[in-house]
Amino acid sequence: MPHVPTLDVHPVERVGELTPIDFSSRFELADRPCVLVGGARGWRATQTWSAAYLKEKVGNVEVKYKVSTSHAHPDFRQLTLDKMFSLGKGSFGTFLDEITKGPADERARRLFTGD
């Protein structure tokens, strides 16, 4: 297997309420990622959109998703391009089951990106 260089990984700051000026100066202009905690708390979808609800409404819709053995997308640990950029497809209901049930390391092998 080819040598895979290590990445310089930094923790991503989790922040609550921010003013637009604070967000811009601390993250946008600094080109730093952040996780906005509670940003969608008041949205109706956070109260009604469960996996069961989505399966009932759009579970039969066919979707494409990315598949990985290393939980990274693309999976650069693979030796061929088709494995690096592996895709799956199936019903959205089955996809939801695959990412919400079973061991965590198995759930993380699929990624829906909409592209």
Side-chain angles (χ1 to χ4, degrees), residues 49-102:
W49 288 16
S50 65
Y53 174 85
L54 292 172
K55 284 172 68 172
E56 177 188 327
K57 297 295 183 186
V58 292
N60 292 327
V61 173
E62 185 173 286
V63 295
K64 293 179 185 175
Y65 50 87
K66 297 177 181 181
V67 179
S68 173
T69 59
S70 70
H71 313 127
H73 304 273
D75 188 353
F76 289 121
R77 293 182 180 152
Q78 298 298 320
L79 298 177
T80 62
L81 288 175
D82 64 323
K83 295 286 186 186
M84 285 180 198
F85 296 93
S86 184
L87 297 174
K89 70 177 180 176
S91 75
F92 189 61
T94 300
F95 173 76
L96 283 172
D97 287 341
E98 291 173 340
I99 65 169
T100 59
K101 297 178 182 175

